[in-house]
Amino acid sequence: MPTVNYVSFDGQSTQLELAEGMTIMQGAVMNGVEGIEGECSGSCACATCHCYVDDAWLAKLPEMSENEDEMLDDTASERKPNSRLSCQIKASAELDGIVIHMPEEQE
Amino acid sequence: MTGVVIVGGGHAGYQCADSLRRAGYDGEITLVDGEGHLPYQRPPLSKSHLLNDTGEEALLFRTQSYYDDHNIGLKLGHRITAIHRADKQVELDNSETLGYDKLVLATGAKLRQLDLPGAALNGVGYIKSLDDIRYIQSHLNQTEDAVIIGGGFIALEFASTAAKLGKKVTVLVRGQRILANAVTPELSQYMLDIHHQHGVDIRFGAEVDHIADDGNGNVEAVRLKDGTLLPAQLVLAGIGVTADTELAVEAKLLCHDGVVVDAQCRTNDPDIFAAGDSARYNNPFTGREIRLESVQNAVDQAKVIAQVIAGQDAGYHSVPWFWSDQYDIKLQMVGVHEGYTHFYQRGSQEDDKFSLFFFRDDRLIAIHTVNRPADHMAGRKLITAGVSPTQEQIEDVNFKLNSLVKK
Ligand SMILES: Cc1cc2nc3c(=O)[nH]c(=O)nc-3n(C[C@H](O)[C@H](O)[C@H](O)COP(=O)(O)OP(=O)(O)OC[C@H]3O[C@@H](n4cnc5c(N)ncnc54)[C@H](O)[C@@H]3O)c2cc1C
Ligand code: FES
């Protein structure tokens, strides 16, 4: 199972193994990793699952949809070039070991 | 020992437990839910769940260990049958009693059931719970024709899902347009066109006479009052829900179509709170009592209750918002459009990207967007802040609406 490394705003890291196809948001929420909310169950409708993807992994990510791009314009924490909605990224062998940084706040 | 007892482990109940711990509440928390499942999310049931291969685990809010680690007691598969207010106790269906300091009613809503000959046949289903969706899933393989009764969000989301799964879908609507209670005629018409484009047949003014039996207790067809016979191996009824206020009514709490709560989500008993689909409150944006059926409402009310119980200052003033996914259309709504005097459109329907901005006189009261999430997000801030953009700003798609409210 692919591993995901979540790094909290204050630098604490949590490593989880997620089933393939599970989203980065689901992995965090289900396992109680703080910093990602996921209020809309991954429908790309709330922007409370905002995260910063470690630069080393950016190129491997699936392209973002127009909807995701627009939602990212209104996140609670600042949008950066490596901002993504974690409900739109699925764990996969390709992304094994991915490092996800949490923003300061989600709402 | 006593603490907080939460009746119902849906969106509101789960959120309340979670937020109590986040707010630093360190007393006992017991979450009781009549369904025998770990708390899970309902929106995907009619949307992505049947299309994804991630399974039921992906619906869970949290795994079991989260509740263990946060010392949240779960009693799943048990219903609370009575509230004894004088003793501050609730009674479970196994005769167990639980004492409480504070009680949270998060009982949600109950499905409106079909009342027709044939309604109990094998192949007639609903979508409210995980068990409902398992039932539907178990009928999908042998289904070529699906008939959906109802023209609301859940009915139409399932129509979209079933069409994506390659089923021949017919939707029966009693009235003259879809989503009639939620959107204006312009958007109903637009969504109708979308369903047509995906080959879904929508019949208006349709009255079902009965559901026909194949002779073995299975659904074979749906017969309309005008004589039309529609073959079907699966019938999905999405005809709405009613607030589940049974316990509250019996406990003589103030109820009328919902448990009536104040701005702190408190009932007329100061130790009993209510949140979510079952709660009725005075909405500051409409100036009257309303009851909402949405995740936003369940989550935000539950957070307020948690803060109040943890001794913090809190009140429920959130602007309502909602979303629905059908095909590749993302519909988002913010505010309450009821009573609008006029509206302006941003973007174009031809591009499948537009928003309707509803005004009451000169005040922006609601925005309905189709594939324009930025308008929705800006709208939440605008309506919360009471800021109304001008017609020119709305119609100019290059104008950044959130610049009117950004810090
Ligand atoms: C298929 C579907 C799709 C939806 N899609 C969306 C959407 O896209 N966006 C949106 O905003 N909203 C959506 N909703 C609505 C949203 O899910 C509800 O508004 C929300 O679940 C309400 O939360 P709640 O906690 O009040 O009630 P519920 O989630 O219904 O939970 C109530 C729980 O209480 C339990 N219960 C009741 N009485 C008792 C008792 N006496 N003892 C023990 N347990 C009891 C019930 O078993 C139930 O589990 C959807 C709903 C459904 C069914
Ligand atoms: S969970 Fe709502 S946008 Fe990702």
Side-chain angles (χ1 to χ4, degrees), chain A residues 20-22 26 28-32 37-41 43-47 66-67 70-71 73-74 107, chain B residues 22 41 54 57-58 60-63 66 295 303 321 323 325 330 332 353 372-374 377 380-381 402:
Chain A
E20 288 229 7
M22 193 71 89
Q26 283 163 341
V29 174
M30 277 175 49
N31 294 289
E37 303 281 336
E39 223 164 74
C40 75
S41 311
S43 259
C44 199
C46 72
E66 267 182 67
N67 277 343
E70 281 196 25
M71 291 297 281
D73 274 339
D74 268 290
E107 42 199 327
Chain B
R22 288 193 200 205
Q41 311 172 51
T54 39
E57 204 196 1
L60 298 182
F61 286 111
R62 309 279 196 183
T63 55
Y66 174 84
V295 167
K303 286 181 179 169
W321 59 267
W323 79 95
D325 297 331
K330 174 165 303 298
Q332 289 170 290
K353 271 174 88 62
R372 287 189 65 91
M377 294 303 280
R380 286 198 215 170
K381 293 180 189 163
N402 62 7

Side-chain angles (χ1 to χ4, degrees), chain B residues 290-307:
Chain B
I290 60 173
R291 190 175 65 75
L292 295 169
E293 290 162 9
S294 73
V295 167
Q296 170 278 322
N297 179 64
V299 166
D300 288 345
Q301 287 188 329
K303 286 181 179 169
V304 167
I305 294 175
Q307 287 168 336

Side-chain angles (χ1 to χ4, degrees), chain B residues 7-13 32-35 42-43 45-47 78-80 106-109 127-128 154 157 244 247 275-277 293-295 298 322-323:
Chain B
V7 193
H11 282 262
V32 187
D33 194 285
E35 293 185 33
R42 298 183 195 276
L45 295 178
S46 49
K47 306 180 179 71
H78 286 292
R79 292 187 66 79
I80 288 188
T107 51
I127 313 184
K128 176 74 170 50
I154 292 175
E157 287 175 358
D244 187 343
L247 281 177
D277 284 10
E293 290 162 9
S294 73
V295 167
F322 187 81
W323 79 95

Side-chain angles (χ1 to χ4, degrees), chain B residues 3-229:
Chain B
V4 178
V5 173
I6 303 172
V7 193
H11 282 262
Y14 152 73
Q15 186 64 51
C16 190
D18 183 71
S19 297
L20 275 166
R21 286 295 180 241
R22 288 193 200 205
Y25 177 80
D26 59 5
E28 263 191 41
I29 302 175
T30 312
L31 186 63
V32 187
D33 194 285
E35 293 185 33
H37 309 292
L38 280 175
Y40 62 91
Q41 311 172 51
R42 298 183 195 276
L45 295 178
S46 49
K47 306 180 179 71
S48 56
H49 177 63
L50 293 176
L51 304 168
N52 282 351
D53 46 14
T54 39
E56 293 179 353
E57 204 196 1
L59 296 172
L60 298 182
F61 286 111
R62 309 279 196 183
T63 55
Q64 177 71 49
S65 58
Y66 174 84
Y67 300 97
D68 299 340
D69 294 348
H70 291 77
N71 198 17
I72 296 169
L74 297 178
K75 285 194 186 292
L76 305 175
H78 286 292
R79 292 187 66 79
I80 288 188
T81 50
I83 307 170
H84 302 299
R85 286 168 57 191
D87 307 327
K88 293 181 76 167
Q89 281 188 339
V90 291
E91 197 174 316
L92 275 74
D93 54 10
N94 58 359
S95 309
E96 194 184 336
T97 56
L98 293 171
Y100 63 81
D101 294 323
K102 303 286 178 215
L103 180 67
V104 180
L105 299 176
T107 51
K110 281 197 288 209
L111 279 171
R112 208 169 268 144
Q113 307 271 341
L114 283 177
D115 181 15
L116 291 170
L121 288 172
N122 184 31
V124 179
Y126 300 85
I127 313 184
K128 176 74 170 50
S129 66
L130 193 51
D131 294 340
D132 292 335
I133 209 73
R134 284 182 183 167
Y135 179 84
I136 287 170
Q137 205 156 16
S138 73
H139 283 82
L140 279 177
N141 273 341
Q142 57 271 34
T143 298
E144 254 175 66
D145 313 275
V147 170
I148 298 170
I149 304 176
F153 285 112
I154 292 175
L156 295 170
E157 287 175 358
F158 184 70
S160 144
T161 302
K164 280 189 191 167
L165 290 168
K167 312 299 176 194
K168 186 174 174 294
V169 182
T170 307
V171 179
L172 305 176
V173 183
R174 228 188 210 157
Q176 293 307 318
R177 63 184 178 96
I178 54 174
L179 302 174
N181 296 330
V183 304
T184 55
E186 297 74 22
L187 201 45
S188 295
Q189 182 59 46
Y190 172 81
M191 289 308 296
L192 178 64
D193 294 341
I194 297 288
H195 281 275
H196 284 162
Q197 283 165 26
H198 288 84
V200 170
D201 181 3
I202 301 192
R203 312 264 175 113
F204 293 102
E207 291 281 347
V208 178
D209 183 69
H210 67 274
I211 302 173
D213 192 332
D214 71 349
N216 292 313
N218 304 308
V219 171
E220 185 178 63
V222 174
R223 172 77 75 179
L224 302 186
K225 290 235 159 94
D226 67 6
T228 311
L229 190 69

Side-chain angles (χ1 to χ4, degrees), chain B residues 346-347 372 375 392-403:
Chain B
R346 182 173 169 92
R372 287 189 65 91
D375 291 354
E392 292 67 39
Q393 290 169 335
I394 290 169
E395 290 173 353
D396 174 5
V397 291
N398 294 317
F399 178 78
K400 293 245 180 251
L401 291 168
N402 62 7
S403 69

